């Protein structure tokens, strides 16, 4: 069932001098099965937006629909919504609190009212999905590396078997290989389990490499909603929003300005290398 | 002169089991020799858990060596009588801007350090002004830190450290929590301090592109220094860095791909500008 945002506005400190329109008439349809990236400058409304997806915040104006029902309705179960739309916050390892990894991952399903056996099966499956090392299932969360903690936290959300997985900067603070590993794992969750992924990211490179649809937020509005290739063809506009384009796209533009016939629409390093190679070869 | 010099630095900590009995010894720093000269910009790279931050905490005597010695401005950090002199030499900036700002107003926050050192009021205000100016935050002096972006908050943290007139600033992953424009602001501020104020800067980071302008790099793994040299030297070793869970800057990777395809590019390309210039030479 898709998530639908219909003319959603959110205003902080309404009626005071400090009033901020954090979301301004946002309409979006998020069908099941997509891999979506959300980018935007700090304060652009990204985090406010994702908190509306699982009912942590309710719109001041407009509506959010899940399964054809308005999530603001009194008889709508937001607890249930939160099982379907899993939200992994930034630095989710700060929210690990149980004595060991397995107990922590069990917390969500246990809270949903599943039996002990169902809970444990869900936890095992979730830990397998994130490729958590088996010999560390009963380790204290303090003994884990940065990447392992992050996997454990993501497993805790996956154990509730959500249809939508929202990840707010899942790679912040990780080393380069740790970043690649987490993104590869998320990409695999999308491909193998058909999970809808919504990735909030600061990295234009990551968005260009992994997602099929990019939503660009700017001052509470949706500035662009398109494929990465189309979105990143708006280099000037993105720069004005405090964002940018992948470095590969920038290098292609610099070479074009110097008369090289490089494809202006390259967005990944591989595409850039291939296109530069072809341009050099054509000249020889 | 060396502002920081570690000789055979070892740091071990003892892990204990549930009963509190020692069960295991972890060596976080394993015979580390790192020297930083006054006025240098030094980058320290390494994956999560490689020992970078443990190293940083030795520089202002937050941690003491289990073996070897750490000299700061010629003083041994184990010398208790010199603790405050040592700490006044080294200014530390950490990852999370929200944990480092305490004042209600930007200029108050920056003045907190020198006030604590007993600096006369008139001089405090002079220092506040020069420090905020150095990081490009002077126009925000009357603002509440809560209203600032992450990059601006980190620049205020840097100004707060500068106001204490250290000889060296240690930045421990200062951009890990920032967006791309915030990252650029902070790195520009750090480079400005080094270029203009001749401040010694030690930058610990996971982002390879932040240290391409450094004078020297040290790469750490399992508590050891496993590579050192200029950025050009270090980033020429693409495969070795990957094996260390690290990476090279994006333009270096593209150059590497092109070279594999037979394009005669030189080693050690670090920035987009350099890549474009070298490709122009190939046509």
């Amino acid at each position: 069932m898709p998530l639908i945002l219909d003319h959603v506005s959110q205003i902080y400190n309404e009626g005071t001098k400090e009033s901020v329109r954090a979301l301004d008439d946002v309409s979006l349809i998020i069908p099941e099965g997509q891999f979506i990236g959300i980018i935007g400058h700090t304060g652009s409304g990204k985090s406010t937006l994702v908190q509306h997806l699982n009912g942590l915040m309710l719109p001041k104006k407009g509506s959010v629909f899940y399964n054809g029902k308005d999530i603001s309705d009194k008889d709508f179960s937001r607890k249930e919504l939160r099982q379907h739309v899993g939200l992994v916050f930034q630095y989710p390892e700060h929210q690990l609190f149980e004595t060991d990894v397995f107990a922590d991952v069990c917390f969500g399903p246990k809270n949903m009212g599943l039996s002990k056996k169902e809970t444990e099966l869900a936890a095992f499956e979730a830990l397998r999905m994130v490729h958590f090392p088996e010999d560390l299932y009963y380790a204290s969360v303090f003994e884990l590396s940065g990447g392992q903690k992050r996997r454990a936290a993501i497993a805790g959300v996956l154990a509730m078997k959500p249809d939508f997985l929202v990840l707010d900067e899942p790679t912040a603070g990780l080393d380069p290989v740790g970043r690649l590993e987490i993104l590869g794992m998320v990409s695999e969750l999308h491909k193998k389990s058909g999970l809808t992924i919504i990735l909030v990211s600061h990295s234009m490179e990551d968005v260009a490499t992994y997602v099929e649809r990019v939503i660009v937020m700017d001052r509470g509005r949706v500035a662009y909603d398109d494929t990465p290739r189309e979105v990143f063809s708006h280099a000037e506009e993105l720069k004005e929003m405090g964002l940018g384009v992948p470095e590969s796209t920038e290098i292609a533009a610099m070479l074009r300005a110097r008369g090289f016939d490089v494809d202006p629409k390259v967005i990944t390093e591989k595409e850039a290398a291939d296109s530069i190679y072809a341009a050099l070869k054509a000249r020889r | 002169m060396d502002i920081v010099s570690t000789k055979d630095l070892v740091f071990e900590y003892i892990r204990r089991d549930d009963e509190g009995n020692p069960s295991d010894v972890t060596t976080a720093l394993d015979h580390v020799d790192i020297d930083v000269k006054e006025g240098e910009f030094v980058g320290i790279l390494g994956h999560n858990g490689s020992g970078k931050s443990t190293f940083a905490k030795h520089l202002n005597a937050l941690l003491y060596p289990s073996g070897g010695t750490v000299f700061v401005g010629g003083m041994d950090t184990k010398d208790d009588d010199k603790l405050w002199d040592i700490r006044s030499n080294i200014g530390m900036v950490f990852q999370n801007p929200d944990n480092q700002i305490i004042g209600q107003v930007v200029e108050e926050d920056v003045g907190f350090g020198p006030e604590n050192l007993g600096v006369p009021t008139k001089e405090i205000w002079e220092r506040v002004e020069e420090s905020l100016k150095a990081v490009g935050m002077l126009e925000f002096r009357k603002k509440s830190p809560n209203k600032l972006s992450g990059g601006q908050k980190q620049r205020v943290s840097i100004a707060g450290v500068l106001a204490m007139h250290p000889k060296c600033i240690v930045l421990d992953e200062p951009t890990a929590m920032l967006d791309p424009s915030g990252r650029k602001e902070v790195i520009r501020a750090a480079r400005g301090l080094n270029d203009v104020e001749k401040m010694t800067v030690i930058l610990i980071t996971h982002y390879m592109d932040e240290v391409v302008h450094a004078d020297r790099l040290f790469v750490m793994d399992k508590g050891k220094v496993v590579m050192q040299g200029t950025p050009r030297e270090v980033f020429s070793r693409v495969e070795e860095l990957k094996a260390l869970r690290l990476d090279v800057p994006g333009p270096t990777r593209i150059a590497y791909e092109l070279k594999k395809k037979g394009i005669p590019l030189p080693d050690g390309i670090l920035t987009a500008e350099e890549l474009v210039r070298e490709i122009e030479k190939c046509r």
Side-chain angles (χ1 to χ4, degrees):
Chain A
M1 278 294 167
L3 267 167
I4 299 173
L5 278 74
D6 183 33
H7 298 285
V8 170
S9 292
Q10 181 59 254
I11 303 136
Y12 294 136
N13 302 319
E14 200 174 5
T16 69
K17 264 202 324 205
E18 314 269 279
S19 164
V20 184
R21 195 169 275 261
L23 288 181
D24 189 2
D25 198 23
V26 171
S27 292
L28 289 169
I29 296 178
I30 301 176
E32 277 191 62
Q34 281 191 339
F35 193 160
I36 301 173
I38 300 183
I39 57 176
H41 191 263
T42 309
S44 62
K46 297 186 305 263
S47 300
T48 308
L49 175 65
V50 296
Q51 290 181 57
H52 282 76
L53 299 179
N54 75 343
L56 274 181
M57 291 187 86
L58 296 173
K60 284 271 162 66
K61 279 188 199 143
S63 311
V64 177
F65 295 100
Y66 175 72
N67 214 350
K69 292 186 190 121
D70 189 328
I71 69 162
S72 300
D73 282 352
K74 275 207 183 71
D75 58 350
F76 182 85
S77 164
R78 278 193 286 280
K79 190 177 171 206
E80 208 182 300
L81 175 67
R82 281 178 203 140
Q83 290 155 18
H84 292 291
V85 184
L87 183 52
V88 180
F89 287 99
Q90 258 187 56
Y91 294 87
E93 57 272 25
H94 296 166
Q95 293 163 47
L96 298 171
F97 60 93
E98 284 280 7
T99 45
D100 63 56
V101 173
F102 193 71
D104 205 277
V105 177
C106 283
F107 181 80
K110 196 167 77 190
N111 231 11
M112 279 164 62
L114 296 188
S115 71
K116 188 162 182 283
K117 186 153 188 209
E118 287 170 319
T119 296
E120 289 180 353
L121 284 174
F124 272 122
E125 195 188 335
L127 284 164
R128 256 199 298 272
M129 283 165 88
V130 300
H131 302 301
F132 194 84
E134 274 174 30
D135 53 332
L136 292 176
Y137 278 16
Y138 297 101
S140 153
V141 294
F142 296 109
E143 288 170 38
L144 306 180
S145 73
Q148 286 164 351
K149 281 186 202 163
R150 207 132 316 168
R151 276 167 206 266
I154 295 173
V157 172
L158 286 177
M160 293 187 278
K161 300 198 165 58
D163 308 312
F164 294 81
L165 181 65
V166 185
L167 300 145
D168 192 355
E169 286 228 51
T171 61
L174 296 184
D175 58 47
V177 172
R179 290 203 281 267
L180 284 179
E181 285 172 354
I182 290 286
L183 288 169
M185 186 267 286
V186 169
S187 181
E188 189 189 303
L189 284 177
H190 172 245
K191 283 195 193 110
K192 279 199 187 156
S193 318
L195 211 59
T196 311
I197 308 276
I198 298 158
L199 174 75
V200 178
S201 177
H202 280 327
S203 163
M204 305 304 136
E205 276 75 17
D206 291 349
V207 166
T209 311
Y210 292 97
V211 312
E212 57 190 290
R213 171 182 174 194
V214 183
I215 296 168
V216 183
M217 295 298 296
D218 181 43
R219 282 166 290 176
R221 287 175 163 268
V222 176
Y224 294 104
D225 179 0
D226 214 323
T227 62
R229 207 174 298 284
E230 281 311 312
V231 167
F232 290 131
S233 65
H234 300 279
E236 283 310 310
E237 293 88 341
L238 288 170
K239 269 176 204 155
E240 268 169 39
M241 294 172 198
L243 297 170
V245 295
E247 204 170 19
S248 302
T249 315
E250 220 164 309
I251 289 169
M254 287 163 77
L255 284 167
R256 280 184 74 79
R258 285 164 178 77
F260 287 88
D261 188 22
V262 178
D263 182 358
K265 294 214 159 176
V266 302
I267 53 174
T268 65
E269 284 169 9
K270 185 172 182 312
E271 289 173 4
D274 288 347
S275 185
I276 295 168
Y277 179 70
L280 281 171
K281 239 186 150 187
R283 277 177 173 262
R284 285 187 171 181
Chain B
M1 194 195 125
D2 289 341
I3 177 77
V4 165
S5 166
T6 72
K7 299 270 177 268
D8 246 355
L9 168 60
V10 175
F11 183 72
E12 291 171 336
Y13 56 92
I14 297 163
R15 303 224 268 184
R16 291 176 190 277
D17 61 18
D18 295 340
E19 278 88 48
N21 302 314
S23 63
D24 199 4
V25 176
T26 304
T27 306
L29 294 174
D30 193 357
H31 301 278
V32 172
D33 295 303
I34 291 182
D35 301 320
V36 179
K37 289 182 203 63
E38 236 170 283
E40 262 193 315
F41 192 123
V42 165
I44 299 182
L45 300 171
H47 60 79
N48 295 110
S50 60
K52 304 180 304 277
S53 295
T54 307
F55 175 78
K57 289 188 184 112
H58 278 82
L59 300 184
N60 68 345
L62 282 175
L63 292 176
Y64 299 106
S66 319
T69 324
V70 177
F71 292 104
V72 170
M75 293 172 283
D76 186 335
T77 59
K78 269 182 290 198
D79 190 346
D80 270 346
D81 299 338
K82 298 276 171 60
L83 184 64
W84 294 106
D85 291 330
I86 288 161
R87 293 208 174 140
S88 70
N89 269 301
I90 304 281
M92 302 274 284
V93 177
F94 298 100
Q95 210 180 79
N96 190 343
D98 293 319
N99 293 348
Q100 298 172 76
I101 293 183
I102 42 167
Q104 301 293 310
V105 181
V106 166
E107 59 180 9
E108 245 174 52
D109 186 80
V110 176
F112 181 80
E115 189 180 5
N116 244 2
L117 296 177
V119 174
T121 311
K122 185 167 166 285
E123 198 192 329
I124 292 177
W125 289 115
E126 286 166 11
R127 288 190 184 195
V128 166
E129 193 163 330
E130 68 179 29
S131 304
L132 283 170
K133 213 166 157 185
V135 296
M137 287 296 291
L138 192 57
E139 57 178 309
F140 295 91
R141 64 184 300 169
K142 302 282 183 200
K143 289 261 188 323
S144 157
N146 299 326
K147 305 267 159 179
L148 303 179
S149 72
Q152 291 169 335
K153 282 184 199 165
Q154 276 303 53
R155 286 191 283 155
V156 171
S157 302
I158 295 174
V161 164
L162 274 182
M164 294 162 76
H165 286 182
K167 292 212 178 96
C168 172
I169 289 198
V170 180
L171 302 143
D172 190 359
E173 294 193 47
T175 63
M177 301 181 81
L178 305 181
D179 66 14
S181 48
R183 279 179 52 200
K184 275 190 200 135
E185 285 170 28
V186 169
I187 296 305
R188 205 179 298 135
R191 287 184 60 197
L193 289 181
N194 181 252
D195 284 346
V196 182
E197 322 275 329
K198 307 294 169 215
M199 175 70 70
T200 313
V201 176
I202 301 177
L203 173 63
I204 296 171
T205 184
H206 280 152
Y207 290 104
M208 307 300 132
D209 54 328
E210 294 180 353
V211 291
V212 295
H213 300 282
D215 295 311
R216 280 189 306 146
L217 299 183
F218 291 89
V219 180
M220 296 192 64
D221 181 47
K222 297 191 189 106
K224 290 190 175 77
V225 174
V226 289
M227 274 192 217
Q228 54 180 300
T230 64
R232 221 171 285 285
E233 288 161 2
V234 169
F235 290 135
S236 300
R237 298 157 73 175
V238 180
E239 296 300 334
E240 282 169 80
L241 284 166
K242 279 191 185 155
L244 293 169
R245 296 181 66 86
L246 294 173
D247 205 349
V248 294
T252 314
R253 277 195 301 268
I254 295 176
Y256 184 70
E257 285 304 312
L258 286 168
K259 274 169 68 174
K260 279 204 295 199
K261 289 172 188 286
I263 305 293
L265 293 171
D267 271 341
I269 288 175
L270 299 176
T271 64
E273 289 74 19
E274 285 174 15
L275 176 62
V276 168
R277 212 181 307 132
E278 292 299 334
I279 289 172
E280 277 198 291
K281 288 184 196 160
C282 294
R283 66 168 147 197

